[in-house]
Amino acid sequence: MKTVFLETYGCQMNVADSEIMAGVIEHAGLTLVDRAEDADAVLLNTCAIREHAEQRVIGRLGEFAHLKLSRPNLVVGVAGCMAQHLRRRLLDSSRVLDLVVGPDGYRHLPELLRRAASEPVAHVRLDRDETYGDLEPRRGAGVRAWITVQRGCDKFCSYCVVPYTRGRERSLPLADLVRQVRDAVAQGFREVVFLGQTVNSYHDGAHDFADLLRETDQVEGLYRIRFTSPHPSDMSDRVIAAMAECERVCPQVHLPIQSGSDRVLDLMQRPYTLDQYRGLVARIRAAMPGVGLSTDVIVGFPGETEEDYQRTVDVMREMRYDARLKGLIELQQRVSAELNDLWIGRETEVLVESEARRSPEQLYGKNPQFKTVVFANDGSAPGTLRRVHIVGATPLTLLGRGVAAGEVRAIASEPLALSARAVGGPPPVA
């Protein structure tokens, strides 16, 4: 076996896991290829949270079954949360599968792939000590590096399978994470995103999440720090203070509320009330005026009444989130449009990512508040900061024009000082 095709489904954590897998595969002397047709083995890294992702994987396995008719020695594997959660069903119902490997088995992938070439193999044992902290990921191109700071979860929300598919919570040592951030910057990445199922519950035994933010804020050459997804119960005053005081930490929080009804929150086994969540949001906005706030909401949870649903709608109006929410799109788009309109006539600093998908004549990137900004392609390279004057807005995008081409700054040349701690709307005017 010489070549492997790796395909990823699901969340950012799966993307980060695929980068770990890719690093392990290449370190073993195997070559990653871009097409399944060119591979000796195909591996799907899967998600067990979203039904759509599961259905896509099942469909993809059907395609590989057809491919295997002409190439019977092709090894087909499923990795990740779906492999852990549905291992028996996958092995029983799919003759195409040769390998099933859970989230804690990636270190052994080369050996497992070679074994699977001669007999079906399953490696789904959860390992409370596995963090992959010593492994070098193979990151894709871009300006943003995903760094997993914590694996597993101890929350056991009633709707979530993560504690069962990824095991109990464990955190990587702070020193290892600082090293990973430095390595990412040395490789040309300008923004890091810390990942964890409840990322702000990070604790390595000596350091908490606030310590992690403050330590990595000191890394030279790094421009922006983000994280996802925090849990309301773990958003301490120490973390809020670190966010407000660290200039590289972006003024943006994705803070899942899930429901506006205390009764439904109790059914979900979410350990906070609506009033507690309100108080938390008030503290965050007091520390970072205009902070970008987004959330997750589950609509139609078993047992939810019309009254429960209406409370969620009322909370959305009250909180004025920046992100679009399923099931409440019409209301949310009105709110998002109002918030984005507040940017018109202002300037913001954009970390350029690439040409816009719809037209190479435009560039796009993110501002510190994670707003997507599109502006005319003036040749600014990915990984540069560009000052942009906002001239228009949609519910999802800010539209702008560059402010004097001579003001483009290469990120590697000087550190970033974030002057704005904001945005639902833009930073307040002094």
Side-chain angles (χ1 to χ4, degrees), residues 232-258:
S233 298
D234 297 304
M235 187 58 77
S236 67
D237 289 342
R238 279 175 51 81
V239 171
I240 295 171
M243 288 189 66
E245 294 166 12
C246 293
E247 59 184 15
R248 291 176 172 85
V249 177
C250 290
Q252 174 245 337
V253 185
H254 183 78
L255 194 65
I257 188 172
Q258 305 302 7

Side-chain angles (χ1 to χ4, degrees), residues 273-288:
T273 66
L274 178 57
D275 279 346
Q276 289 171 332
Y277 185 94
R278 278 194 184 105
L280 173 59
V281 170
R283 293 196 301 277
I284 291 171
R285 284 177 164 160
M288 295 172 282

